[in-house]
Amino acid sequence: METDTITNVCSHCDRAIPFSNIDLHYAHCSRNLERCKICGDMVPIKLADEHYSNTHAPVECSLCSETMEREILAKHRGENCSQRIVTCDFCEFPLPAIDLAEHQEVCGNRTELCHLCHRYIRLRERYNHEISCNGIGDTSVASSRNERSAERAERDPVPRRHQPPPEYSRKRLLVTIAITGIAVLLGSFFFQRKPEGSQVVLDNGIIEVTISKPEGSVTGIKYHDVENLLLVGNNVTDRGYWDVVWSIPGQAKGPKRTKGSLDRLEGTNFTVITENEEQVEISFTREYDPSLKYTILPLNIDKRFIMLRDSSGFYTYAIYEHKEDFPAFELDNTRVVFKLNEDLFRNMAISDTRQRRMPLNKDREPPRGERLAYPEAVRLVDPVEPEFKGEVDDKYEYSIESKDNVVHGWMSSEPSIGFWQINPSNEFRSAGPLKQFIASHVGPTNLAVFHSTHYIGIDLIVKIGQGEYWKKVYGPIFYYINSQPSSALLWEDAKKQSTSESEKWPYDFPASEDFTKSNQRGSVSGKLQVRNISNDHTEVSAASGAYVGLAAPGNVGSWQFESKRYQFWTKANADGSFSIPNVVPGDYNIYGFLHGFIGDYQYHTVISVKEGENKNLGEIVYDPPRNGSTIWEIGIPDRTAAEFYIPDPNPKYINKLYINDKANKFRQYGLWERYAELYPDSDLVFTVGVSKYADDWYYAQNTRKKDNNTYEGTTWQIKFALDKVHEGTYTLMLSLATANAATLEVRINDPKSSPLFSTGQIGHDNTIARHGIHGIYRLYAVNIPSIQLLEGENTIFLTQTEDKSPFQGIMYDYIRLELPSN
């Protein structure tokens, strides 16, 4: 009998172990594992405390603060918690369970007119009355509310506001902050408050937004006859919220940074900031106490919500403040999240061409979903609806560049309504116009991400030091709810609304002094020209279509990593003229880049923008990097790899949205595996003058997967001929669109020689895995001594040496070989 089939029971963990491995197993097991005294599971010794905290430690209900065992928390919140949200039987108003009886005692005594007998009936008696009503009543009786309505009509015959649709209940027609309790009429606003533990309601007769108090989590959004647009199956703290992922400096070592701590930014104090006939603004704040050290995020938080009269939506923004006596910390991510009603919202729209019906969240869970190379990517093997079978769902397939992140959201077909996030400005987002952000995805989830490290990596982490004062306003952004006869009209209406919001930027209604109003801002203008040196002449021409921006003073291209302050970008006109309006006062550098030219422009003189000032720079000239005339070039200098060969996806791993969409073909899952299928034994060879970059230059130089599920680096060759070798130094311009844990080495004519140039390991962009086509832009000028070149045939070897993962590699933007400058 084979010894591998004989097992012994480990005396430490009670598992059956092959006889041949028992000694080695016991040594490892007894040294690294211990049995949990509560559940009996074997857990790593170093994680024992974490296991207890996450599994067995008593937890506090976030609603009522009662402490209990973790196993009964869900049942407590759903059935027993005194602060759980329930609905009034009479008005369907959501409120804490502890207040229901008191509320219904008052609410049930309210009256409504019976349209059969024309009598006013108490709500608590309405059901029995409707059964017995014979339609006979005293039609001469009029209520005081009708008299008041008539008086108002005489005083003000012209309506001052849009009327809601006929089917909408007329119970709440004014902006309100409403809680059960004593009501006070202020002008034309109905205002109610309640003691601790209650909720706040903003209601302008079009939409009604319910927010927990003092936490500031959005628990409900009512529109027309739909009681809640949010995912009611979720806990009230997990429907609409702000959050931050943060870390303690020095906790994460190396490029594989561990995920930081998640903070939902729950407020501890609620304040009404503004209340008048035109708007309501409310604030949820949390003050940091330095004595708490790292037990909580070291920031002062002020979350704001605004509702305007006659507006089919609401605004939110937040102010983050770090004072000098707060400890240092690192901010990885901050955003606003809305999780929508899955029974309603099935159609997602990100752009004119990126719209589709989405699968259900449950389709991602096993056994309906099969996890692929990383948790976000799931193949739908047995979805509830067969139309999605075989597709891959991955939130990164729906990423969007900041410059295009204007409006996105979800649509319901029955009823036909839309939920849209509208971004009137991107000045508060990190890393400039090309930074890619996650947007809407399966859930249905809608994200407003202001800062994240996606497609850039740890280089974009916001690092706030001890003794550093920092304050930033994120937003306001607008959440727009609309109703139209079709999805197409919903989308067009949302785009129209986004244009309207952008034209109103910067808004004049936010009350915070930290939000810089229009009259407090300045502007910068000028004309950008580009010096174009071709093989036979030099000319200066207009930088038509160039991106021109203001960001914190730094180095060439440093705007790609800037995240603490604001950035302001525009596109130059056909003549190169540009105007950047509404700039927050401060010191900036001018940055720019232009399609068709390598490198980055920087106006090195620091520009001080002052309130009310228009600073005109006149004509400024960009000199793109160049040392000599072009011998040959591969690609288009556009900061992406989109012009190169992108393979068809494996039919097993498709997203149907992109099957016939050439512009977004790169968003398909698993393209990194196609390289080994195209080049199983050897690597790419590109012959100048014969090969075509659109057909023969693969879009990503990633690793090759081998038969034993390991990976190896790859070496690409560029073959070219020289009629004559000129004395001097040739220049190889390497423009990279992205890199991820990659090392690029350059050799000339001898693949076994020492590299002429090496980047060293660069990049944490992870663009290959996340279906991107660019990340951080990098430019290298490689000097090639003429003695290394030959008259006749030459070969440049480009070797990507890293080999631990399928996602290591680079994407080229553009490659050019130049003659010596003389």
Side-chain angles (χ1 to χ4, degrees):
M1 179 180 293
E2 296 288 340
T3 57
D4 284 350
T5 63
I6 303 174
T7 61
N8 277 8
V9 175
C10 172
S11 60
H12 186 68
C13 67
D14 295 333
R15 288 176 54 201
I17 307 299
F19 178 81
S20 60
N21 296 337
I22 188 66
D23 292 337
L24 181 63
H25 167 82
Y26 180 79
H28 176 272
C29 181
S30 59
R31 185 169 61 250
N32 294 287
L33 301 179
E34 68 177 28
R35 188 179 303 280
C36 174
K37 296 179 182 179
I38 299 176
C39 66
D41 288 352
M42 299 300 295
V43 297
I45 293 173
K46 63 181 181 181
L47 299 178
D49 291 343
E50 182 179 337
H51 169 78
Y52 174 78
S53 299
N54 293 339
T55 311
H56 305 301
V59 293
E60 183 179 278
C61 174
S62 61
L63 300 177
C64 68
S65 301
E66 182 180 343
T67 301
M68 65 202 69
E69 295 179 6
R70 186 178 297 272
E71 299 85 65
I72 67 171
L73 178 61
K75 182 177 180 181
H76 166 80
R77 285 177 172 173
E79 300 177 10
N80 303 321
C81 179
S82 62
Q83 296 298 330
R84 74 187 188 279
I85 301 304
V86 294
T87 302
C88 172
D89 293 337
F90 306 117
C91 68
E92 300 180 354
F93 185 84
L95 73 167
I98 194 172
D99 302 319
L100 181 63
E102 177 187 353
H103 171 87
Q104 289 191 156
E105 179 67 27
V106 176
C107 193
N109 285 324
R110 292 190 297 114
T111 61
E112 283 191 356
L113 180 69
C114 173
H115 294 287
L116 296 176
C117 66
H118 300 285
R119 294 170 53 203
Y120 280 90
I121 308 300
R122 286 189 177 89
L123 294 184
R124 66 174 68 259
E125 300 168 356
R126 181 174 55 189
Y127 177 76
N128 290 334
H129 174 79
E130 288 175 352
I131 295 175
S132 59
C133 180
N134 57 14
I136 300 175
D138 184 0
T139 59
S140 65
V141 178
S143 76
S144 61
R145 83 179 72 179
N146 288 340
E147 291 172 1
R148 289 195 299 269
S149 297
E151 291 170 5
R152 281 196 298 269
E154 282 185 22
R155 280 198 316 268
D156 190 7
V158 180
R160 298 181 61 188
R161 54 178 287 117
H162 300 302
Q163 294 301 313
E167 69 273 14
Y168 181 68
S169 167
R170 296 178 179 267
K171 289 184 292 184
R172 297 182 281 273
L173 293 179
L174 303 174
V175 178
T176 67
I177 302 176
I179 308 295
T180 59
I182 299 174
V184 181
L185 192 64
L186 299 174
S188 61
F189 281 87
F190 197 58
F191 182 70
Q192 296 186 16
R193 306 187 193 215
K194 190 173 171 78
E196 298 302 319
S198 55
Q199 293 194 330
V200 179
V201 178
L202 304 181
D203 181 356
N204 65 0
I206 301 173
I207 68 165
E208 178 184 298
V209 180
T210 305
I211 307 171
S212 65
K213 168 191 171 190
E215 297 83 7
S217 298
V218 180
T219 63
I221 301 174
K222 181 177 181 180
Y223 179 69
H224 290 189
D225 291 332
V226 182
E227 286 297 323
N228 203 338
L229 304 183
L230 302 184
L231 193 58
V232 293
N234 279 17
N235 187 281
V236 291
T237 62
D238 191 32
R239 298 176 186 176
Y241 52 87
W242 284 74
D243 70 17
V244 160
V245 176
W246 67 283
S247 302
I248 302 173
Q251 271 195 339
K253 306 289 186 181
K256 289 191 175 180
R257 179 184 177 88
T258 55
K259 192 172 181 65
S261 301
L262 177 68
D263 190 324
R264 287 279 175 88
L265 305 184
E266 293 183 343
T268 57
N269 184 62
F270 164 69
T271 308
V272 178
I273 302 296
T274 303
E275 48 175 326
N276 57 47
E277 293 189 0
E278 299 305 320
Q279 74 179 76
V280 167
E281 179 169 343
I282 58 177
S283 166
F284 301 87
T285 57
R286 187 179 75 190
E287 296 288 326
Y288 177 75
D289 181 350
S291 66
L292 295 173
K293 297 183 179 180
Y294 285 118
T295 59
I296 193 171
L297 170 68
L299 280 179
N300 289 335
I301 303 296
D302 185 355
K303 297 184 298 183
R304 303 284 185 100
F305 294 88
I306 302 173
M307 183 175 285
L308 305 181
R309 176 182 298 279
D310 299 330
S311 174
S312 187
F314 62 96
Y315 301 83
T316 186
Y317 67 108
I319 304 136
Y320 296 176
E321 181 185 37
H322 181 273
K323 294 186 176 181
E324 290 90 339
D325 59 340
F326 293 3
F329 82 103
E330 297 179 351
L331 191 153
D332 297 47
N333 184 86
T334 188
R335 61 186 185 170
V336 181
V337 181
F338 278 98
K339 299 179 178 180
L340 304 179
N341 189 326
E342 192 173 43
D343 293 333
L344 294 173
F345 296 103
R346 296 298 307 278
N347 298 302
M348 187 180 76
I350 296 174
S351 70
D352 286 335
T353 60
R354 299 172 70 193
Q355 301 184 21
R356 64 164 296 173
R357 180 174 167 82
M358 297 292 283
L360 298 167
N361 202 38
K362 67 179 71 173
D363 293 335
R364 293 177 50 85
E365 301 299 325
R368 294 191 181 277
E370 173 190 29
R371 175 177 166 174
L372 299 176
Y374 44 85
E376 293 86 351
V378 172
R379 183 168 179 264
L380 309 179
V381 294
D382 184 27
V384 173
E385 296 157 306
E387 66 180 284
F388 301 110
K389 186 171 184 178
E391 283 200 70
V392 170
D393 179 71
D394 184 346
K395 66 182 181 181
Y396 294 114
E397 293 178 330
Y398 305 108
S399 296
I400 187 169
E401 290 181 346
S402 187
K403 64 181 176 62
D404 300 320
N405 194 351
V406 179
V407 55
H408 63 86
W410 291 82
M411 296 173 286
S412 165
S413 56
E414 185 57 45
S416 183
I417 57 177
F419 179 96
W420 307 102
Q421 174 201 135
I422 292 177
N423 300 289
S425 171
N426 285 318
E427 66 186 43
F428 38 78
R429 282 197 164 90
S430 298
L434 301 184
K435 170 69 171 73
Q436 296 165 91
F437 291 97
I438 302 173
S440 293
H441 59 82
V442 160
T445 301
N446 180 273
L447 299 180
V449 184
F450 306 114
H451 171 80
S452 76
T453 58
H454 295 126
Y455 300 95
I456 293 180
I458 61 175
D459 295 325
L460 193 59
I461 290 171
V462 182
K463 297 181 179 180
I464 308 297
Q466 176 80 38
E468 178 179 0
Y469 183 82
W470 176 72
K471 180 183 281 189
K472 188 169 184 178
V473 179
Y474 291 103
I477 58 174
F478 183 52
Y479 287 94
Y480 178 57
I481 321 297
N482 65 347
S483 178
Q484 295 288 337
S486 68
S487 293
L489 292 176
L490 284 169
W491 172 245
E492 290 303 317
D493 179 61
K495 290 196 299 179
K496 181 179 178 181
Q497 184 67 35
S498 72
T499 300
S500 173
E501 296 297 326
S502 297
E503 290 172 349
K504 291 184 288 186
W505 186 267
Y507 296 133
D508 60 4
F509 50 80
S512 173
E513 294 181 355
D514 294 309
F515 178 73
T516 310
K517 307 300 191 296
S518 178
N519 61 359
Q520 299 171 318
R521 300 187 178 213
S523 61
V524 176
S525 58
K527 180 178 287 189
L528 180 63
Q529 306 289 292
V530 58
R531 200 183 319 275
N532 186 14
I533 303 175
S534 63
N535 287 356
D536 54 357
H537 69 285
T538 300
E539 66 176 5
V540 176
S541 58
S544 175
Y547 281 89
V548 184
L550 290 166
N555 302 314
V556 173
S558 61
W559 57 269
Q560 296 180 103
F561 304 99
E562 213 294 301
S563 53
K564 288 185 180 180
R565 292 177 49 184
Y566 306 98
Q567 296 196 29
F568 304 88
W569 288 84
T570 189
K571 287 189 74 173
N573 299 317
D575 64 351
S577 62
F578 64 88
S579 177
I580 306 175
N582 300 314
V583 179
V584 173
D587 292 339
Y588 300 90
N589 277 147
I590 284 275
Y591 301 92
F593 57 90
L594 176 62
H595 181 96
F597 294 88
I598 62 173
D600 280 271
Y601 171 74
Q602 181 181 23
Y603 186 76
H604 289 282
T605 301
V606 173
I607 299 169
S608 293
V609 177
K610 295 181 174 60
E611 178 180 316
E613 180 183 44
N614 175 28
K615 190 174 289 291
N616 192 318
L617 304 180
E619 187 173 291
I620 54 179
V621 180
Y622 173 42
D623 289 294
R626 179 180 286 277
N627 294 297
S629 298
T630 299
I631 300 174
W632 50 257
E633 59 187 353
I634 301 172
I636 301 170
D638 61 357
R639 307 174 83 92
T640 82
E643 70 269 27
F644 298 126
Y645 175 72
I646 300 174
D648 291 329
N650 185 329
K652 186 179 178 181
Y653 305 115
I654 61 166
N655 184 321
K656 292 178 182 177
L657 178 62
Y658 302 126
I659 289 179
N660 297 312
D661 186 353
K662 185 177 181 180
N664 287 293
K665 190 176 181 180
F666 63 87
R667 299 186 189 277
Q668 295 280 14
Y669 175 86
L671 298 185
W672 56 84
E673 295 182 344
R674 305 299 272 173
Y675 180 79
E677 296 168 8
L678 291 170
Y679 300 94
D681 303 312
S682 59
D683 285 317
L684 181 149
V685 177
F686 187 93
T687 303
V688 174
V690 177
S691 303
K692 297 179 179 179
Y693 63 74
D695 300 323
D696 303 310
W697 189 270
Y698 199 74
Y699 84 108
Q701 187 175 359
N702 55 284
T703 55
R704 179 193 291 105
K705 186 176 182 179
K706 299 193 291 187
D707 292 339
N708 59 357
N709 284 328
T710 60
Y711 301 90
E712 62 183 2
T714 56
T715 298
W716 291 7
Q717 300 179 45
I718 303 174
K719 293 184 176 295
F720 62 99
L722 291 176
D723 294 333
K724 180 180 179 180
V725 177
H726 298 272
E727 185 176 343
T729 300
Y730 288 70
T731 306
L732 180 67
M733 288 291 189
L734 291 174
S735 177
L736 305 186
T738 189
N740 186 58
T743 299
L744 178 62
E745 296 180 348
V746 179
R747 294 173 175 82
I748 308 296
N749 289 326
D750 182 0
K752 296 182 180 181
S753 64
S754 297
L756 178 66
F757 169 82
S758 175
T759 60
Q761 191 176 94
I762 55 173
H764 311 291
D765 305 8
N766 210 15
T767 303
I768 295 172
R770 289 172 173 161
H771 326 297
I773 202 66
H774 70 84
I776 287 295
Y777 177 80
R778 298 170 175 89
L779 179 64
Y780 300 95
V782 181
N783 294 326
I784 304 175
S786 58
I787 59 172
Q788 295 203 8
L789 295 171
L790 307 171
E791 290 188 1
E793 296 299 320
N794 291 268
T795 303
I796 294 175
F797 297 92
L798 302 174
T799 302
Q800 196 294 110
T801 63
E802 306 296 341
D803 59 2
K804 300 297 188 296
S805 159
F807 309 129
Q808 290 177 290
I810 59 178
M811 295 182 192
Y812 297 92
D813 164 45
Y814 174 76
I815 302 175
R816 182 172 74 210
L817 182 64
E818 298 175 359
L819 283 166
S821 58
N822 58 357

